[in-house]
Amino acid sequence: MNKYFLFLLFTTFSLFALAQQVKYTGTVMDGAYQEPLLGASVIIKGTNVGTTTDLDGKFIVLAKPTDVLVISYLGYLTQEVPVSENLVVTLVEDVASLDQIIIVGYGTQAKREITGAITVVDAETIENLKPTRIEQALQGQVAGVTVTSTSGSPGAASNIRIRGVSTNGDNRPLILVDGNVVEDLSVINPGDIESYTVLKDATAGIYGVRAANGVILITTKTGRKNQKLQYQFDAYIGFQQTTRKLPTLNSNQYALLKNEAYSNNGEAAPFTSLVGLNNTDWQDQVFDNAPIFNNNIALRGGTEKAAYAFGASLLRQDGIVGRGKSNFTRGTVRFNFDYDLLDNLQVKTGLFYTGTSRNTISENGLGSVLFNAVNNAPTFAVRDSNGDFTLAEGLGNEVINPVHQLENTFNSNKVDKISGNFGLTYKFWNDFTAVSRIQFNYAESYGDNFAPEAFYGSGKVFNIDRNVYGQYSNYFRDYTYDAFLNYEHAFAKVHNVKATVGMSAFRTTGKFNGLTGFDIPGNSWSNASRQNASDIVDNFPNGGDEYDARLLSHFARVQYDYDGKYLFSGVLRRDGSTKFGPENKFGFFPSASAGWVMSEENFLQESKHINFLKLRGSYGIIGNDRIPDYRFISLLNGEGAYVIGDNLIFGTAIGAISNPEIKWEEQYTADIGLEAEFLDYKLNVTIDYFSRRTEDLLLVPVVSGTLGTSAPGSGAPVINGGDVRNRGLEFAMSYKDKINDNLSFTASYNFATLDNEVLKVNNSVGFLEGGSFGVGQPAPSRMEVGKPIGYFYGYQSDGIFQDANEVASHPSQIALGANAQPGDIRYVDINEDGVINTDDRTDLGNPIPDVTMGLNLTVNYKNWDIQTYLYASIGNDVVRNYERNQNLTNLTTNYLDRWTGAGTSNSTPRVTTGATSNQVFSDFYVEDGSFLRAQNMQIGYTIPSANIDAVKFKDVRFYLSVNNLFTLTKYRGFDPSASDGQPIGGGIDYGFYPVPRTFLAGVNLKF
């Protein structure tokens, strides 16, 4: 009886306990991709009872209502959540684990093991910025990387510089998109990008000669194995506007100043009355609000053996100057497919298509649309009483009606590009992996332009007496073939070795076709074609229409770490280039790096504050061959005129002067860095000091015209003619914290300093010149020993002459074009020889910023997110060169503070129509170009998942965003951030098309 009683009692209690348990279901998701996680562990806290998630990330568990579930997955932060019905748990990647895998060139490495200066920008950051071109997502995100716009026009390129200007030639970094070499980033859809990896130091040497200016590795979004098909749709629409108009004089101010200018020269005033003057704001006439929209769809998924992704996008952007005359359209299609043919054999493929079309206007120079808008007189109407465009009479030879100019602008450009990659990865003998892959690019670029007959005014250099039609079609091909073998093994559990040996072959070819024709019927763009043109001329009659360059490289790398504490990496690379002659074709470039993970030492392992601490350093040599093809030999691609009998015959002649001795430009790069994680991995700090010396710069020197360099098709030789050094400090930190379940934030800040100095210029005059200022003046920029490359060189001013006594007691300035008078700029006699002339020119400033910095803030509150990205450039100077300074051209309101008598001004000279030296290049035209810019500000709202389950959406987010909301600067031009990017001649503002302010409204859908 006792046995039966005990059995009944046990059964009763068991049933009671089971009655307290409830079946709960839930789903575990990836926070970054909103995708289900297969195999996530779900355990009831305090027990061993639990389960794992299925293919759809779902789980079922029996638990009591008071139980807490512990949910974990490799590489993600573990979460503890109370049980509830239809529980959805989102796990985030455990970046604090420092096990993030980073591409380092022909392989990968965990972040904690990296010994080089490498920075990663993730997809979330890129998506938040909403860039139209992918390089815009780098500005302010990576310390030591500067991005300047060549123009704010749609589709315009940007200049990317990693750790400064290191050569007088091509300073572009090597950019690889899934292994494909990419030169024109306008063809890439930013929505396809998974991450950027920026290699900044000698570790970039694994990529050889093309990596001399750093490397940017771009990885596109792909599917994952065992991933259910996922859809993502992103779209935004908005408008753009100019951030600034220059404060030009209105008609009354203009008439008063011009009357004063004529009077100061003893001439009759051009305006006898200020009543009834026309008042045209020419900038209002050419600036406009311009629409922009973008659509992007992506599909990603995978099976047990395959992973695939598909994406398509369409971007349309009109210009804030000229609207449809200045626009950009880009369509992209992308497909990736990875498949396991065998357990140890994988195939990876990718195919990209991009089609772009771009209309362009005259910009960034003398006679550009904005140049004319600033300098044209406000007293002229756009059209006269007959409806014809007005003529800019009396304003010099270069200034014309900008609206008429836009009306006659017809420039259409298109690019079709296909890129692909195919690779095989074979693993054998446990430790070996063989990789063979080929990447290719094929592009066709073609376009038409038409300049109709036009009369803009008497003596205008832009008058066209005979309409001209131009057409071009260019073809570009390149391929890269890589084959390498990786070995990885751990000895005695503490000696970890990785080794790589391989080869790489690269070939790029191009062919240019172009023609010029005349006399299009009807003087009409609609009739502009080759068939309708007469007197057709080949643009390449003497060759020069093809190129073919090749590289062949062999490399080896060994990576070693002892017990995760002591790290080493060494690279040997031998590069061969067709840019050099037989004696100098090959170069040998070694590099090495080492690291010490101090936090793994016993004296720091128990630290409560330091979670990770690593000291690292690198040194290496990288070669550079970025010069035109075949400059080591003489080519018959110049133009020559010959007299045969009584006839003048045009034929070929020797082109640019050859130099068979040119050899590799070499960069010697050193870096020492410190990486640290504090406060339970919430605070991350990285510090780097670098020094990069470039020797044997490949440059084109100034040579005597008696050598024939001024002949058509000829030119000076390429020489190894100088050394440049860049040094700087980089600092980056980020802090992230979760205050409570509703509130979290992330803050990151970075800055970089840069000191650029020319160490040697190997030519007869000791310097190189570049850039232009005004009309007919000496070049304003120089490369000279002891100075930054491209520094500004001109006259230093010392105020304004206030009276005749000051003029009489000062050295004569007549050598600058005129005798000085009261109200003129007073220049400093630098060499104190009693005369102001060209020998008194001096250093006026530096276009390279001393410091750049970025600040990024993100706050998440419940379903709301707020993001702010700021960027600053400090210490760079800009030359103001958008003023024509003719008798009747307009001026900015700065001249309202001009000198009008003793004591009235000591900074702005008088106005006059007489000859003065006030227009020579001096520090009067050099301004501080430092600025702080709000790159992006955004607010978003994500609809709670419970509200969208019925429509099967995983994530729905709406947002409002503004790019370039404000720019704080003392610079008085359109945009302090714009530059043509020339090493010698950069930082000169010819009237740059400003980067627009862009307002966007968008949606992100995942389902």
Side-chain angles (χ1 to χ4, degrees):
M1 181 177 179
N2 290 337
K3 292 180 180 180
Y4 288 111
F5 176 76
L6 291 174
F7 174 77
L8 180 62
L9 184 64
F10 175 78
T11 301
T12 302
F13 275 105
S14 297
L15 290 174
F16 178 77
L18 288 172
Q20 301 303 306
Q21 291 185 324
V22 180
K23 182 186 292 185
Y24 292 96
T25 61
T27 305
V28 180
M29 305 290 292
D30 176 305
Y33 297 94
Q34 290 299 302
E35 297 167 351
L37 290 176
L38 169 67
S41 173
V42 182
I43 303 293
I44 298 174
K45 187 175 182 178
T47 74
N48 293 321
V49 178
T51 185
T52 58
T53 57
D54 62 16
L55 186 64
D56 296 320
K58 298 186 180 299
F59 66 87
I60 300 174
V61 64
L62 288 174
K64 293 183 291 185
T66 57
D67 281 340
V68 173
L69 300 181
V70 179
I71 301 175
S72 60
Y73 192 81
L74 181 63
Y76 290 75
L77 293 173
T78 299
Q79 284 196 40
E80 296 184 6
V81 294
V83 296
S84 64
E85 294 291 340
N86 298 317
L87 184 65
V88 177
V89 179
T90 300
L91 298 183
V92 297
E93 290 190 50
D94 185 9
V95 294
S97 68
L98 296 169
D99 290 327
Q100 178 184 3
I101 300 301
I102 295 175
I103 299 173
V104 293
Y106 306 107
T108 60
Q109 211 171 6
K111 182 179 178 182
R112 68 168 62 245
E113 300 170 354
I114 288 176
T115 52
I118 296 176
T119 303
V120 178
V121 179
D122 59 24
E124 183 179 1
T125 300
I126 299 168
E127 291 173 359
N128 290 340
L129 286 169
K130 303 296 182 297
T132 56
R133 290 179 58 105
I134 59 179
E135 59 263 51
Q136 295 168 352
L138 285 172
Q139 191 172 45
Q141 304 299 320
V142 181
V145 176
T146 59
V147 180
T148 58
S149 302
T150 59
S151 168
S153 63
S158 297
N159 300 304
I160 304 174
R161 300 289 180 262
I162 297 177
R163 292 184 166 178
V165 177
S166 57
T167 177
N168 184 38
D170 190 343
N171 281 271
R172 293 174 300 169
L174 171 65
I175 301 175
L176 299 174
V177 179
D178 290 340
N180 287 64
V181 177
V182 174
E183 299 286 353
D184 180 9
L185 291 176
S186 68
V187 301
I188 304 298
N189 171 31
D192 289 335
I193 306 305
E194 175 67 28
S195 66
Y196 294 90
T197 301
V198 183
L199 312 183
K200 298 187 285 187
D201 66 346
T203 55
I206 187 64
Y207 284 104
V209 53
R210 292 178 294 168
N213 301 312
V215 179
I216 299 176
L217 306 176
I218 299 175
T219 304
T220 59
K221 297 174 181 176
T222 61
R224 296 182 178 182
K225 293 179 181 178
N226 297 311
Q227 177 186 26
K228 188 177 180 180
L229 183 61
Q230 306 290 319
Y231 301 87
Q232 181 173 341
F233 176 74
D234 302 305
Y236 62 74
I237 188 170
F239 68 93
Q240 309 153 91
Q241 61 182 208
T242 184
T243 56
R244 176 181 292 187
K245 293 192 302 178
L246 300 191
T248 51
L249 302 174
N250 62 34
S251 59
N252 285 343
Q253 294 168 332
Y254 169 81
L256 286 170
L257 262 69
K258 293 306 172 182
N259 282 347
E260 181 182 319
Y262 275 75
S263 176
N264 284 341
N265 196 40
E267 298 178 274
F271 296 96
T272 57
S273 173
L274 302 184
V275 178
L277 291 176
N278 181 77
N279 188 30
T280 300
D281 187 326
W282 289 102
Q283 293 176 83
D284 278 347
Q285 295 297 321
V286 298
F287 278 122
D288 204 345
N289 289 336
I292 180 174
F293 75 84
N294 183 69
N295 292 294
N296 184 52
I297 187 169
L299 294 77
R300 293 190 294 273
T303 64
E304 183 178 352
K305 291 189 175 184
Y308 53 87
F310 172 83
S313 70
L314 177 64
L315 168 74
R316 168 77 186 203
Q317 180 185 14
D318 275 358
I320 58 173
V321 179
R323 290 291 293 268
K325 295 281 186 174
S326 168
N327 67 5
F328 179 70
T329 301
R330 179 185 63 220
T332 68
V333 178
R334 176 179 64 90
F335 179 71
N336 297 88
F337 181 73
D338 301 344
Y339 186 74
D340 292 340
L341 296 173
L342 302 171
D343 289 342
N344 61 342
L345 179 61
Q346 182 186 55
V347 59
K348 295 177 69 70
T349 63
L351 190 65
F352 304 79
Y353 165 76
T354 304
T356 65
S357 63
R358 185 181 181 215
N359 293 335
T360 60
I361 64 173
S362 176
E363 55 179 275
N364 301 353
L366 185 73
S368 68
V369 173
L370 289 179
F371 176 90
N372 289 321
V374 170
N375 288 282
N376 205 358
T379 52
F380 289 133
V382 176
R383 294 178 183 267
D384 60 24
S385 58
N386 295 323
D388 298 323
F389 287 108
T390 57
L391 306 177
E393 297 288 8
L395 274 64
N397 297 334
E398 299 86 15
V399 178
I400 63 175
N401 183 329
V403 181
H404 191 188
Q405 181 182 17
L406 284 171
E407 183 81 7
N408 286 335
T409 297
F410 304 97
N411 297 311
S412 175
N413 309 274
K414 295 183 179 181
V415 176
D416 287 313
K417 181 175 183 178
I418 297 177
S419 301
N421 59 77
F422 178 86
L424 291 172
T425 302
Y426 179 66
K427 298 181 180 180
F428 61 100
W429 296 345
N430 296 325
D431 302 326
F432 292 89
T433 303
V435 180
S436 177
R437 64 192 185 197
I438 187 168
Q439 301 95 27
F440 72 89
N441 296 290
Y442 174 78
E444 296 182 359
S445 173
Y446 41 94
D448 303 88
N449 57 79
F450 176 58
E453 293 178 18
F455 181 73
Y456 297 105
S458 302
K460 301 296 183 181
V461 295
F462 302 107
N463 288 339
I464 300 175
D465 298 326
R466 187 184 185 193
N467 68 49
V468 183
Y469 169 71
Q471 182 186 79
Y472 71 88
S473 56
N474 304 328
Y475 303 90
F476 307 95
R477 302 173 180 85
D478 69 64
Y479 75 82
T480 304
Y481 175 71
D482 297 317
F484 54 94
L485 180 68
N486 286 329
Y487 169 79
E488 183 174 357
H489 190 77
F491 298 90
K493 297 183 180 181
V494 293
H495 302 280
N496 301 297
V497 177
K498 294 181 181 179
T500 300
V501 293
M503 61 82 64
S504 179
F506 173 75
R507 182 182 183 185
T508 177
T509 62
K511 182 173 178 58
F512 303 94
N513 299 280
L515 61 88
T516 300
F518 302 88
D519 304 326
I520 297 299
N523 199 36
S524 170
W525 167 245
S526 61
N527 295 328
S529 68
R530 176 174 184 168
Q531 292 74 19
N532 290 334
S534 68
D535 298 337
I536 294 175
V537 178
D538 184 356
N539 292 345
F540 300 95
N542 297 315
D545 56 341
E546 294 186 70
Y547 68 87
D548 185 346
R550 310 179 192 193
L551 294 168
L552 177 63
S553 306
H554 299 87
F555 54 87
R557 177 179 61 198
V558 61
Q559 296 165 297
Y560 169 79
D561 81 75
Y562 174 77
D563 200 23
K565 297 180 184 179
Y566 312 114
L567 316 171
F568 172 80
S569 176
V571 174
L572 300 176
R573 179 146 180 154
R574 181 175 182 262
D575 285 309
S577 172
T578 57
K579 300 293 181 73
F580 305 109
E583 299 299 320
N584 299 310
K585 190 174 296 294
F586 286 92
F588 182 70
F589 307 107
S591 61
S593 58
W596 175 26
V597 183
M598 292 181 284
S599 53
E600 292 296 318
E601 300 289 356
N602 293 332
F603 60 84
L604 282 179
Q605 280 188 334
E606 302 302 321
S607 172
K608 296 181 180 179
H609 305 291
I610 300 176
N611 305 113
F612 179 76
L613 185 63
K614 177 174 68 177
L615 180 67
R616 52 175 170 74
S618 65
Y619 183 81
I621 307 171
I622 306 176
N624 184 19
D625 73 337
R626 294 196 176 186
I627 57 175
D629 295 329
Y630 312 121
R631 296 304 293 271
F632 62 92
I633 57 176
S634 296
L635 298 176
L636 286 172
N637 58 1
E639 297 181 25
Y642 306 92
V643 177
I644 300 178
D646 294 328
N647 299 316
L648 183 64
I649 305 298
F650 293 93
T652 59
I654 294 176
I657 299 173
S658 65
N659 178 9
E661 302 300 321
I662 52 174
K663 60 181 181 178
W664 290 89
E665 179 179 289
E666 294 183 335
Q667 292 185 7
Y668 296 79
T669 302
D671 181 281
I672 185 168
L674 184 72
E675 298 176 12
E677 304 256 5
F678 305 97
L679 306 177
D680 293 329
Y681 300 100
K682 295 177 182 178
L683 177 63
N684 176 288
V685 176
T686 302
I687 303 173
D688 278 276
Y689 173 80
F690 70 90
S691 177
R692 180 169 65 181
R693 178 187 176 113
T694 306
E695 296 186 356
D696 295 323
L697 261 69
L698 292 164
L699 50 85
V700 179
V702 178
V703 297
S704 171
T706 60
L707 296 177
T709 58
S710 59
S714 185
V718 175
I719 67 169
N720 294 101
D723 297 351
V724 172
R725 181 179 61 203
N726 287 279
R727 295 181 294 187
L729 178 70
E730 297 171 354
F731 174 84
M733 65 177 295
S734 65
Y735 183 83
K736 60 182 180 180
D737 199 3
K738 184 176 182 179
I739 307 303
N740 53 48
D741 290 340
N742 294 325
L743 180 63
S744 63
F745 73 93
T746 300
S748 63
Y749 169 74
N750 69 77
F751 77 82
T753 67
L754 183 65
D755 175 36
N756 176 280
E757 183 181 359
V758 175
L759 304 178
K760 183 172 70 173
V761 178
N762 185 23
N763 67 4
S764 59
V765 294
F767 61 84
L768 291 173
E769 295 182 317
S772 63
F773 180 83
V775 176
Q777 294 200 39
S781 300
R782 280 194 172 189
M783 173 183 176
E784 188 175 1
V785 173
K787 301 291 185 180
I789 189 169
Y791 83 100
F792 302 130
Y793 185 73
Y795 298 96
Q796 181 179 324
S797 64
D798 184 27
I800 304 295
F801 289 113
Q802 298 299 317
D803 53 44
N805 290 331
E806 289 189 6
V807 173
S809 62
H810 191 74
S812 172
Q813 297 184 174
I814 193 171
L816 305 187
N819 283 313
Q821 296 185 32
D824 287 339
I825 298 175
R826 181 173 55 226
Y827 299 109
V828 177
D829 184 9
I830 295 294
N831 62 2
E832 299 181 345
D833 64 353
V835 177
I836 307 296
N837 55 27
T838 55
D839 295 334
D840 293 299
R841 289 179 294 168
T842 188
D843 183 353
L844 299 182
N846 179 11
I848 302 173
D850 298 321
V851 180
T852 56
M853 59 182 67
L855 175 65
N856 307 324
L857 302 171
T858 301
V859 177
N860 295 281
Y861 178 70
K862 293 186 177 179
N863 296 93
W864 292 92
D865 59 88
I866 302 174
Q867 299 153 21
T868 299
Y869 294 83
L870 303 177
Y871 175 76
S873 174
I874 301 172
N876 58 296
D877 296 304
V878 181
V879 173
R880 188 179 74 253
N881 191 29
Y882 48 77
E883 299 165 329
R884 185 60 188 95
N885 292 317
Q886 291 281 10
N887 289 348
L888 288 172
T889 52
N890 202 0
L891 300 168
T892 63
T893 55
N894 303 320
Y895 282 88
L896 296 177
D897 297 325
R898 68 205 176 281
W899 184 92
T900 56
T904 56
S905 175
N906 199 38
S907 58
T908 305
R910 66 191 176 111
V911 291
T912 180
T913 59
T916 73
S917 59
N918 296 332
Q919 280 76 52
V920 300
F921 179 55
S922 70
D923 57 0
F924 176 68
Y925 297 97
V926 180
E927 299 185 17
D928 182 3
S930 302
F931 66 91
L932 170 66
R933 171 167 290 172
Q935 291 283 100
N936 178 271
M937 291 188 172
Q938 184 174 156
I939 182 169
Y941 178 77
T942 301
I943 298 177
S945 57
N947 297 342
I948 57 175
D949 282 345
V951 290
K952 305 300 182 182
F953 284 119
K954 292 182 179 179
D955 188 46
V956 178
R957 176 177 178 267
F958 297 95
Y959 65 88
L960 297 174
S961 171
V962 56
N963 295 329
N964 195 15
L965 178 61
F966 61 81
T967 301
L968 304 179
T969 181
K970 293 181 179 179
Y971 180 61
R972 295 178 290 182
F974 282 115
D975 193 335
S977 69
S979 174
D980 62 9
Q982 295 298 317
I984 307 175
I988 302 175
D989 185 353
Y990 303 99
F992 277 108
Y993 194 130
V995 176
R997 178 184 297 120
T998 305
F999 297 89
L1000 300 175
V1003 61
N1004 306 125
L1005 303 177
K1006 295 179 180 179
F1007 50 96

